[in-house]
Amino acid sequence: MFSKGRDHNYSNSHSTHRGNSAARSFHDIVSNISGVPNSYPRGDAHGESRRNQTVTSLLNILSELSNESSPDNGYEAHNLGLICRSATIDEKLQIAGSESFNKFERRIENLDKELRDFANAARQLGSSVGILSSGFRLRERLAKLLVLFRDNAAMLFPRKISRQSREAPIVHGWKEQRRTDIQPLPKAHPDPESFPDQFACFAEDVVTFLNCLNEFPEFTDEAVNTSMRAFECDLKYWASCLLEYKGQFRYPAVQRYIHDLTSGIGEHIDNITVNLSMFIEIGVPTIRFAQHHAASNLLNLSTVATFFSVVTATTLQYSYRLTDGVLETSVNAFWFSSLVFSIAAAVNSLLGLTWKQAMYRSPGHRVPWWVLIWIKRSPLVFLVMSVACFSVGLMLFTYATEQGFVTSIITTVFTAVTSFGLAVVSAWFVLERWVFVHYHGQIWLDDAINEATQRMLRLCLVVAMRNIIRWCFTAISGLLKRVPFKFPNMTTLLGRRNHTLPTMQEGPPMDDLSHRRDTSAFTEHPTSIQGPANEGSKPSRSAIARQRFKGAVRSVIVIQQQQAARPSMPQRIPSFDWNSTMGMSPTRPSSMDLDAIRGPRATSIPKLKTLEPVQDLSVHTALVRHLQFSPNGKYLATSSWDRSSVIFRVEDAFSIHAILVHVRGFIGQVAWSDSSYLLLTRLPRAIKVWTKDGLCKKTIERPHSVSSVVWLPANETQFFSVEGNKVFKLNIEGRVLDSYHFGGIQLRNVAVTPDGQRLLGVGPLLAAPNGMHPSRTTRVEKCIVVFNVETRRFENQTPVFNDVRDITLCKKGGNVLISFGYKTPPQLWKMELVRDTKHRKHPYAQTARLILRHTYVPTARVDFMGPGHFGGMDDQLVLCAGKEGDIHIWERDTANLLHYIKPQMFGGDLTCVACNHYTDDPFTLATGSHDGTVHIWKTPMWDGSSDDGSYDYAGMSVADQYTSSPILDSSSAPGSSQGHRESLTIHTKISG
């Protein structure tokens, strides 16, 4: 910790002694009060006087304690303010978590309401039993999931969310009943371990509901299909990922991840709710109209068939006695057949009508094809056959009864014509159906006929016949020209017919356009087809073509103007909820030990309040990507996108020690060895090994992209290279010593425990264990893993919802700092070693377990830039920089914000921050920016004996700790770099 002066220590000890003596007096009085028995009656004046004396003594002691001038006693009031702030932060987390769950609960209730409304509307449709049953199961699954999510949230936020009662959740039944009752679920209370199974079953219920919805061919909504298919994909993805955490669903980390999933699930539920509401409003009436129209057609067909059967039965009264000859027998046969077909058409029409309106009928794809054809097609076929038989019988009846010649001929001709028309129309209907099925609705029957005609005309025989006819026509024309008789311009008319076509106006009629214009320009030079009456008044071919082109251009312009005037439909933009509830710190303010938080902070806050920028190092011309102080505190290494890395000497005024120039590739990271002698620089596909003096010892080319490099603890020759989902152990010569596979995790960064036995990695999953990927609008799962290098197995895998970027271990290895992207604050996790119950053969085997300790919440929403870092000699601080230039410094063990530096007026946004761990006197920071400048921050040398070095915190308010440091001008700042640049000794090393 920061050093103190001797006098300051003496004053602290003296003040502590006085505080202890006052405390002993206070405890003596309290013991006297507690030791006095109930021997004083309430009405005794002597007892009242002793009580008054006791209260007066207590007030005097409290007054003395409040008037003490020692920093410890003054800081005690400040600690109370910090405790109140911690309580406020915890309360905010509780409120945010409860609001997130309440929003999710309202979303589920809205979907349940839409499903209930849809069930009521679907009861009027035919074949609605499937959609009603699937909707009931979907509502039942929603009730189960809501109970699970409520129990999960109640364990995270117990003060704001109450647990669900242990009775079974209830939903309304879908069956038609005379009384409206509620049906309890058969299973009592779902277990948290059933989350993966519930997600998988939920996906199946969603797909079943969608399939039942698509069984109505009268209406198809692509929005409903898209939203439900995406939801099914994400549910299966989450179910597969959650299977990896079996047995850990009561751990706080997994509970927080499940709670964070409510935002993604809620977005899908909102999309389905909106699309389902539109389906109820538009789709259900459309389906009802289509079914009513089909039922009306069958009813009309049944009416016609019944009427025709009556007509046939009436005509049979004139012929059923005629049985003498073959002709008479044929008449009766045709008319009896017509009567049978007409009755069958009427009965089948009524049967099809009843089947279409039935609620419990099977969907079309569940019925055998011959049954479906008989129900749908047989009434019309039977009616056509009945009409045909009746017409043939009527024609034969005229000959059998020896009617007049004219009557028989007319009846025969009309029967032939009507029968031919009936056959052609029937064939047209059949061919239309065949073309639709064969070409999947892409062309019409007329297009198919034209295509078949063109194919027929291209046959060899047809082409030969056409050539013969053309030759004959040419020969006849030549002969006619030689004949002395003149025909009136016959050949001229035949020759000019090809180029006397009228100029046709393309596009829509002008009268139908919303913007009316003068159409006289389109008919300025009309052409005629009545022959060449006057050659002088007729325009030329070029003029006609030019006029037709002008008319086409004007038509296109008018059409575009008409389309531009129409209102465009707004596009549906998927909503993304990038805000999620941060994890709640398990430490309660009431459980804090004041003695544990008084000592370190008593000197760190006044020290940090003097932190100020003292030097600007403008050595880079592009963004500074990474900074790191050497372990011995003597050097600062930087990496920039200008393909250079600089090593500074850490002095009162930083000076350039060496410049490491890279010929190709951006430098993404620098890493010092434990001895501060070697330095690694990470390129996209290479790693360079440098000495502290700027000598490049080795360039190690790698076949894959390198995302991070980490030295092995207490090792100067070996380091880890993170490449995709693998970690390679390399030596400084570039030889691969070992490799570790992390499965489907795309590693962003790793950290090594001090004993070198475990690797901690962070990154997203490339795919779920079953190979599935989430939808486009859903985030992939991220996780923190602990990998045992010796056993080569995962000891712990913890899911996180936000985009995790970096991981850092403290020196002792127990605390893990996780940095996220965007506006998510960093988190502190505790890695504990517990007994491994899976290895019964080794009773003393241990495994690692991660527990969330704190979330470092800033005073306002901050867009964090770069990873967070531990600060101080003992890693007792946590530092994180904002994109706009603000710096936050928290105390590691209590998550209290010790100091906040407001955004500075630098040349660009901050990109990274680093702290010198070697010494706290002075406390030194380095920040990089977009414009390539490195800013150095320092605190003055601490002198507790001087008057300026002593601070009185008796009357300090809580808000005083958030005041920012003053901004020093670079020209007047102590130790400014401008006064030293001319005397710098620069060693520049260029490496290919």
Side-chain angles (χ1 to χ4, degrees):
M1 298 304 295
F2 299 113
S3 61
K4 301 182 181 180
R6 182 180 301 173
D7 295 338
H8 187 66
N9 291 336
Y10 174 76
S11 61
N12 285 343
S13 61
H14 182 64
S15 302
T16 305
H17 174 71
R18 288 190 298 169
N20 292 337
S21 61
R24 284 196 297 269
S25 301
F26 175 77
H27 287 298
D28 292 339
I29 294 175
V30 173
S31 62
N32 291 334
I33 294 175
S34 61
V36 174
N38 263 341
S39 59
Y40 305 104
R42 293 185 178 181
D44 190 4
H46 179 67
E48 292 293 337
S49 62
R50 291 198 59 178
R51 290 190 182 92
N52 293 335
Q53 291 176 2
T54 303
V55 173
T56 303
S57 300
L58 286 173
L59 293 175
N60 293 333
I61 293 174
L62 291 176
S63 178
E64 292 177 2
L65 290 175
S66 63
N67 292 329
E68 291 289 343
S69 60
S70 65
D72 289 343
N73 292 333
Y75 201 78
E76 192 166 324
H78 178 65
N79 285 335
L80 294 176
L82 292 178
I83 293 174
C84 294
R85 181 180 178 274
S86 299
T88 304
I89 293 176
D90 184 70
E91 185 68 18
K92 288 182 179 179
L93 291 177
Q94 292 274 335
I95 294 174
S98 62
E99 289 179 352
S100 176
F101 172 76
N102 292 333
K103 182 179 180 180
F104 175 72
E105 187 177 24
R106 288 193 299 270
R107 285 171 163 175
I108 287 186
E109 290 175 354
N110 292 335
L111 179 58
D112 183 76
K113 178 180 177 298
E114 292 297 332
L115 289 173
R116 186 169 61 251
D117 295 342
F118 180 79
N120 294 330
R123 292 177 189 274
Q124 307 173 14
L125 305 177
S127 184
S128 60
V129 62
I131 197 67
L132 292 177
S133 176
S134 61
F136 167 74
R137 289 195 297 269
L138 189 58
R139 293 179 58 203
E140 187 180 36
R141 190 69 58 189
L142 285 173
K144 290 182 179 180
L145 283 174
L146 185 58
V147 172
L148 283 174
F149 277 106
R150 172 174 285 277
D151 290 347
N152 184 76
M155 297 180 69
L156 291 174
F157 317 105
R159 297 200 302 272
K160 298 297 180 181
I161 299 176
S162 60
R163 285 179 171 273
Q164 179 78 18
S165 60
R166 286 295 173 177
E167 299 176 357
I170 54 177
V171 293
H172 293 277
W174 62 272
K175 295 182 179 180
E176 292 184 331
Q177 298 176 353
R178 293 185 178 180
R179 58 185 183 89
T180 58
D181 56 351
I182 54 178
Q183 298 181 353
L185 297 178
K187 198 171 182 178
H189 201 277
D191 184 69
E193 295 292 333
S194 64
F195 262 112
D197 297 334
Q198 292 293 334
F199 275 24
C201 295
F202 192 20
E204 294 179 0
D205 294 339
V206 169
V207 173
T208 302
F209 181 80
L210 180 61
N211 293 335
C212 293
L213 206 61
N214 291 330
E215 287 175 355
F216 295 100
E218 296 85 1
F219 184 82
T220 302
D221 192 352
E222 292 297 333
V224 176
N225 292 344
T226 303
S227 60
M228 287 194 172
R229 289 296 180 186
F231 194 23
E232 175 214 359
C233 177
D234 289 343
L235 285 173
K236 291 182 177 179
Y237 173 79
W238 289 326
S240 178
C241 293
L242 288 177
L243 283 175
E244 297 295 317
Y245 311 109
K246 189 175 182 180
Q248 305 178 25
F249 288 96
R250 299 186 187 275
Y251 290 178
V254 181
Q255 290 176 346
R256 273 185 296 273
Y257 174 72
I258 292 175
H259 177 76
D260 290 337
L261 287 180
T262 55
S263 61
I265 298 176
E267 291 178 3
H268 283 292
I269 289 178
D270 283 346
N271 293 334
I272 294 176
T273 302
V274 172
N275 294 327
L276 195 59
S277 176
M278 295 178 62
F279 190 91
I280 296 173
E281 183 179 355
I282 300 175
V284 172
T286 303
I287 296 173
R288 189 185 302 116
F289 172 78
Q291 292 184 352
H292 179 72
H293 181 70
S296 299
N297 291 338
L298 288 176
L299 185 60
N300 295 333
L301 192 63
S302 175
T303 303
V304 173
T306 303
F307 173 76
F308 200 78
S309 63
V310 173
V311 173
T312 306
T314 303
T315 55
L316 275 174
Q317 295 179 3
Y318 301 98
S319 65
Y320 76 97
R321 294 180 183 275
L322 302 176
T323 57
D324 298 337
V326 178
L327 197 59
E328 290 81 0
T329 304
S330 300
V331 170
N332 290 329
F334 278 107
W335 279 359
F336 275 111
S337 300
S338 175
L339 181 60
V340 171
F341 286 139
S342 61
I343 294 175
V347 173
N348 286 333
S349 298
L350 293 177
L351 182 62
L353 177 63
T354 305
W355 183 77
K356 280 185 172 296
Q357 293 180 346
M359 174 181 176
Y360 296 93
R361 71 174 173 90
S362 302
H365 65 279
R366 300 287 185 176
V367 181
W369 63 271
W370 59 272
V371 176
L372 199 62
I373 291 178
W374 183 270
I375 294 176
K376 289 185 175 182
R377 309 300 177 191
S378 64
L380 183 60
V381 173
F382 286 159
L383 183 60
V384 171
M385 294 177 66
S386 176
V387 172
C389 291
F390 181 82
S391 299
V392 173
L394 184 62
M395 180 188 64
L396 295 178
F397 182 74
T398 58
Y399 292 101
T401 55
E402 297 180 355
Q403 299 293 327
F405 178 77
V406 176
T407 303
S408 301
I409 294 300
I410 292 176
T411 303
T412 303
V413 171
F414 286 168
T415 300
V417 171
T418 55
S419 299
F420 177 77
L422 185 63
V424 170
V425 172
S426 300
W428 182 270
F429 287 166
V430 173
L431 289 176
E432 279 184 335
R433 178 68 179 177
W434 180 83
V435 168
F436 177 80
V437 174
H438 185 71
Y439 293 99
H440 304 286
Q442 297 179 359
I443 63 174
W444 300 102
L445 177 59
D446 182 64
D447 299 331
I449 293 176
N450 292 335
E451 183 181 353
T453 303
Q454 294 294 332
R455 192 180 301 121
M456 185 180 299
L457 292 177
R458 287 194 296 267
L459 295 177
C460 297
L461 181 61
V462 176
V463 171
M465 293 180 62
R466 291 177 61 185
N467 293 333
I468 293 174
I469 294 174
R470 188 180 296 108
W471 181 81
C472 294
F473 179 77
T474 304
I476 293 173
S477 299
L479 291 175
L480 290 176
K481 290 181 180 179
R482 297 176 183 178
V483 175
F485 300 100
K486 276 190 176 181
F487 295 95
N489 295 330
M490 180 182 298
T491 57
T492 305
L493 290 176
L494 292 175
R496 294 182 180 273
R497 183 168 297 179
N498 293 331
H499 57 80
T500 57
L501 295 176
T503 302
M504 302 299 295
Q505 178 182 344
E506 299 180 359
M510 292 293 112
D511 295 339
D512 296 336
L513 299 177
S514 58
H515 302 279
R516 297 179 177 269
R517 296 180 179 269
D518 187 10
T519 58
S520 61
F522 293 89
T523 59
E524 187 174 354
H525 301 285
T527 56
S528 175
I529 61 173
Q530 295 180 357
N534 188 2
E535 291 292 336
S537 62
K538 183 178 179 180
S540 62
R541 295 182 60 185
S542 60
I544 294 175
R546 189 163 51 251
Q547 183 62 30
R548 293 180 64 185
F549 178 74
K550 291 182 180 179
V553 171
R554 291 192 183 98
S555 300
V556 172
I557 294 174
V558 173
I559 292 174
Q560 291 180 350
Q561 291 178 351
Q562 181 187 15
Q563 293 179 352
R566 299 175 182 174
S568 60
M569 296 297 293
Q571 297 181 355
R572 180 172 297 145
I573 302 176
S575 58
F576 300 91
D577 187 10
W578 296 104
N579 303 325
S580 63
T581 305
M582 282 74 72
M584 182 189 64
S585 175
T587 305
R588 298 281 188 264
S590 59
S591 63
M592 289 184 181
D593 189 2
L594 287 178
D595 297 333
I597 65 176
R598 283 179 56 181
R601 199 185 302 116
T603 55
S604 60
I605 287 184
K607 188 75 172 179
L608 293 174
K609 285 177 66 63
T610 61
L611 187 66
E612 57 190 11
V614 297
Q615 191 176 1
D616 294 338
L617 306 174
S618 300
V619 294
H620 292 293
T621 60
L623 179 145
V624 179
R625 187 65 183 89
H626 190 239
L627 300 165
Q628 190 178 30
F629 283 92
S630 61
N632 60 8
K634 295 181 179 181
Y635 301 101
L636 170 65
T638 65
S639 64
S640 173
W641 283 1
D642 62 358
R643 300 179 181 177
S644 68
S645 180
V646 181
I647 300 177
F648 296 94
R649 284 194 300 269
V650 178
E651 300 171 345
D652 292 339
F654 281 48
S655 59
I656 298 178
H657 180 68
I659 298 179
L660 317 178
V661 179
H662 299 68
V663 177
R664 52 189 175 85
F666 294 136
I667 309 171
Q669 181 190 358
V670 291
W672 286 100
S673 62
D674 288 344
S675 65
S676 303
Y677 179 73
L678 295 179
L679 177 70
L680 298 178
T681 58
R682 174 177 62 85
L683 301 174
R685 287 182 178 267
I687 304 170
K688 288 182 176 293
V689 183
W690 306 79
T691 64
K692 63 181 179 61
D693 296 325
L695 176 63
C696 182
K697 298 187 64 176
K698 185 69 176 180
T699 299
I700 305 173
E701 300 289 342
R702 300 300 301 157
H704 305 287
S705 177
V706 182
S707 58
S708 179
V709 289
V710 182
W711 285 95
L712 268 73
N715 197 314
E716 294 295 317
T717 60
Q718 298 177 5
F719 60 91
F720 289 113
S721 173
V722 181
E723 303 173 14
N725 60 344
K726 292 183 180 180
V727 177
F728 295 91
K729 181 191 288 188
L730 307 174
N731 60 8
I732 58 176
E733 299 298 328
R735 188 164 59 91
V736 178
L737 304 178
D738 205 345
S739 63
Y740 311 97
H741 196 275
F742 278 70
I745 303 175
Q746 181 73 25
L747 291 174
R748 296 280 179 83
N749 195 6
V750 297
V752 191
T753 56
D755 57 0
Q757 186 177 356
R758 291 174 176 85
L759 286 174
L760 285 81
V762 292
L765 288 180
L766 296 175
N770 59 356
M772 294 197 62
H773 297 271
S775 62
R776 295 181 179 179
T777 58
T778 302
R779 300 181 184 182
V780 297
E781 182 185 349
K782 280 75 65 175
C783 62
I784 311 170
V785 294
V786 180
F787 183 82
N788 194 308
V789 177
E790 296 181 357
T791 61
R792 294 180 177 272
R793 67 180 185 90
F794 292 102
E795 293 186 345
N796 184 270
Q797 182 172 344
T798 303
V800 290
F801 184 74
N802 296 291
D803 189 12
V804 63
R805 295 293 181 86
D806 193 80
I807 183 170
T808 306
L809 268 173
C810 67
K811 296 177 181 178
K812 296 182 180 180
N815 295 301
V816 183
L817 183 63
I818 303 297
S819 302
F820 299 92
Y822 306 104
K823 299 182 180 181
T824 306
Q827 294 178 349
L828 182 70
W829 293 71
K830 180 70 174 179
M831 188 180 69
E832 296 180 348
L833 296 180
V834 297
R835 181 180 176 183
D836 192 359
T837 57
K838 296 182 180 179
H839 290 270
R840 301 183 181 274
K841 297 181 179 180
H842 304 280
Y844 299 102
Q846 290 182 330
T847 184
R849 184 176 63 182
L850 293 175
I851 300 174
L852 178 64
R853 293 189 60 188
H854 300 295
T855 298
Y856 298 102
V857 182
T859 55
R861 294 190 64 84
V862 179
D863 192 0
F864 292 102
M865 178 57 65
H869 297 277
F870 288 111
M873 294 182 62
D874 298 326
D875 292 342
Q876 72 273 18
L877 303 176
V878 172
L879 298 88
C880 202
K883 183 178 180 181
E884 297 182 357
D886 47 342
I887 302 175
H888 300 76
I889 303 176
W890 293 276
E891 188 176 16
R892 185 194 67 190
D893 295 332
T894 60
N896 288 322
L897 185 61
L898 300 181
H899 191 48
Y900 168 62
I901 302 175
K902 294 181 180 179
Q904 307 295 310
M905 299 301 294
F906 294 139
D909 296 335
L910 291 188
T911 57
C912 53
V913 63
C915 177
N916 192 349
H917 295 264
Y918 182 73
T919 178
D920 285 341
D921 194 12
F923 188 79
T924 307
L925 291 180
T927 58
S929 59
H930 272 275
D931 61 353
T933 305
V934 178
H935 306 283
I936 305 301
W937 300 69
K938 284 186 179 182
T939 59
M941 297 295 290
W942 182 264
D943 186 6
S945 61
S946 63
D947 295 337
D948 296 336
S950 60
Y951 294 85
D952 185 9
Y953 290 92
M956 187 181 67
S957 61
V958 178
D960 291 339
Q961 63 173 316
Y962 305 132
T963 58
S964 63
S965 303
I967 305 174
L968 300 181
D969 189 272
S970 59
S971 60
S972 61
S976 178
S977 61
Q978 296 180 2
H980 296 273
R981 288 179 181 170
E982 295 181 358
S983 61
L984 296 180
T985 301
I986 303 175
H987 302 278
T988 304
K989 303 296 181 181
I990 302 177
S991 172

